[in-house]
Each structure stands twice: as structure tokens, then as C-alpha cells.
Amino acid sequence: MTDVFDLDDLLTRYQVPDRSRTHLRTNFVTSLDGAATHNGLTQGLNNEADHQVFHTLRMLADVVLVGAGTVRNEGYEELTVTDARADWRTAQGWPPHPVMAVVSRTLDLDPGAPLFTRAPVRPIVFTTTEAPEGPRSRLGEVADVVSAGSGSVEPGQVVAELTRRGLPQILSEGGPAWFATMIEHDAVDEMCLTLSPLLEGGDATRIVRDGRQRTSAMSLLSLLRAEDMLILRYVRPELAPAG
């Protein structure tokens, strides 16, 4: 795959000023009419430019956080970065690969999946205190299973636990129900959004589903263009540079 953007420029563009400060970044791609999937998957909405930003954001993350439905639908496997990216991370004094973290209320996950069995770093699964004991025990053999709420997984508890583990740079890649929960709890510090030059229509998934409404202002921090595709970066207004 040929790089569309200069990697050093992307790293500078997407670095946060203080990595020790907890920062929850989300990353999504949508069509012009708001569809988050094409024929059920994000593949088809993105291109090489979006892929490059996607992998750069992973390269900068301490942990990648994703809902169980997205893990199943998108066929997530073990979380690794390329050897060159791992070498770059090591040169910064970071672990070679970010940690994988999955949010699952019911623990409907396969402990034999490559996401767990081939992971270079032991994954984390966030669930509730009511999660069934059988799946909890089986997943506990291949991941750290952490209760982070009663009835539903609470974003504040997830963020606090990741920060406690020394993983303050959090990249969330979905899915729509988990994103809705994060919005509802005002947990999102940054949103990276790729706007694909397509109209989808139909009943395609949107990037947010359900959850109570909560309106939060965001400030545009950067914009990249790759032909007709726009790659946007928004942050909380208080995190935007002055002036």
C-alpha cells in the first residue's frame, strides 16, 4: 500500500500535547448521508488515505477500545502494528504494540479467536458485574476480564481503569451503541471522522445507535483532503489551541 500522506506530518498532526493526560479519541468513517457501513462493513467506505490515518492513530495509541459487536462484525484479529511502526513506538519508549480492549455486557466472545490467542499483549475485556460466570471464566484464561459497571459498562470506569493501568491514550473504534454511551456520559475528548464521497441510503448502520441525547460542542482542529474524501479531526473546545 502506497502512503498518501507524509507519515511524519501525520504523526505531528495527531500527537497530543501531553501523553500523560488521559485522552479518549474516537475514529469513524461515514458516507455523505451518514452511513457507517457499505454492505454491512466499513470496507467500501474508506480508501488508502483513510487506512493510513487509521493505522497512524493505532500507532499513537496506548490501547484500542472497541465494542463486541464491531469485533464480531468486522472480524477483528490480534492487534499488532507493522515492524516499522513497532520500532518507532519502541524508540519513543513505548511498548511495541498497543493493548486491545473490548466492551461486552454479555461476554458473547470467542476465547479461541485470534484476537485473544494471537495477541502480542494480553487483551482486556470490560463487562458488568452481572455478566455470566461461565463466559467470564473462559475469557479469563486469555484476557483480563474487568467489571466496569452494573447493568451496563460505564465509560468513566473504563477510562479510569485504563489510566490506572498506564494506558491513558485511548483510541475507540466503535461500535455505534458504545459510541452512544460515550456521548451520553460526555467521555469523548476527540473525534476523528472520515467523510467518504458516497451516498448509501438504505438501512445502513449509523455511527451512533440508541443512547440518550447529549449535545457537546466540538472544535475543528485539522482537515486533510484525499481527492474527494475529507479526513476531519475535532476536539473539545478547551483542548483546541488558543487563537
Side-chain angles (χ1 to χ4, degrees):
M1 183 180 296
T2 303
D3 284 349
V4 177
F5 305 115
D6 178 76
L7 178 57
D8 288 337
D9 177 68
L10 284 184
L11 291 170
T12 300
R13 183 182 295 267
Y14 285 100
Q15 285 269 28
V16 297
D18 182 0
R19 284 187 59 86
S20 67
R21 177 175 177 173
T22 301
H23 188 87
L24 196 159
R25 167 185 279 163
T26 62
N27 186 36
F28 289 94
V29 59
T30 74
S31 66
L32 294 175
D33 56 326
T37 56
H38 170 78
N39 293 332
L41 299 173
T42 56
Q43 184 178 353
L45 293 179
N46 44 30
N47 64 7
E48 289 185 2
D50 178 68
H51 285 145
Q52 188 182 1
V53 172
F54 174 88
H55 289 294
T56 301
L57 295 182
R58 284 188 164 190
M59 183 176 173
L60 291 169
D62 293 325
V63 57
V64 175
L65 179 66
V66 64
T70 298
V71 166
R72 292 189 294 267
N73 293 339
E74 297 285 343
Y76 269 61
E77 296 187 346
E78 70 275 19
L79 176 59
T80 60
V81 299
T82 64
D83 290 345
R85 291 187 173 103
D87 289 344
W88 184 89
R89 286 173 57 91
T90 303
Q92 315 308 307
W94 311 345
H97 304 282
V99 178
M100 187 77 221
V102 182
V103 176
S104 178
R105 183 176 57 84
T106 63
L107 296 181
D108 182 16
L109 294 162
D110 178 9
L115 181 146
F116 298 110
T117 60
R118 296 207 302 253
V121 187
R122 186 175 172 88
I124 306 167
V125 177
F126 288 104
T127 190
T128 68
T129 54
E130 291 86 357
E133 285 302 322
R136 184 190 291 270
S137 176
R138 289 190 290 273
L139 284 167
E141 296 178 4
V142 292
D144 291 351
V145 182
V146 179
S147 295
S150 173
S152 63
V153 178
E154 298 286 341
Q157 294 189 35
V158 171
V159 170
E161 176 63 16
L162 291 174
T163 300
R164 186 190 69 80
R165 289 171 175 251
L167 306 170
Q169 296 303 306
I170 305 164
L171 172 62
S172 181
E173 297 177 350
W178 175 241
F179 189 30
T181 301
M182 290 190 292
I183 292 174
E184 181 181 330
H185 289 262
D186 195 28
V188 177
D189 297 307
E190 176 180 335
M191 180 171 182
C192 297
L193 178 67
T194 295
L195 192 60
S196 182
L198 299 172
L199 294 172
E200 283 290 313
D203 59 355
T205 301
R206 266 45 190 174
I207 61 174
V208 173
R209 184 181 71 241
D210 303 327
R212 289 180 293 183
Q213 179 180 344
R214 179 172 188 146
T215 302
S216 301
M218 302 292 281
S219 295
L220 180 64
L221 194 58
S222 78
L223 182 155
L224 291 169
R225 180 172 179 175
E227 297 182 347
D228 293 324
M229 180 172 281
L230 298 179
I231 301 175
L232 310 167
R233 182 187 181 200
Y234 289 87
V235 295
R236 291 177 180 269
E238 63 268 24
L239 298 178

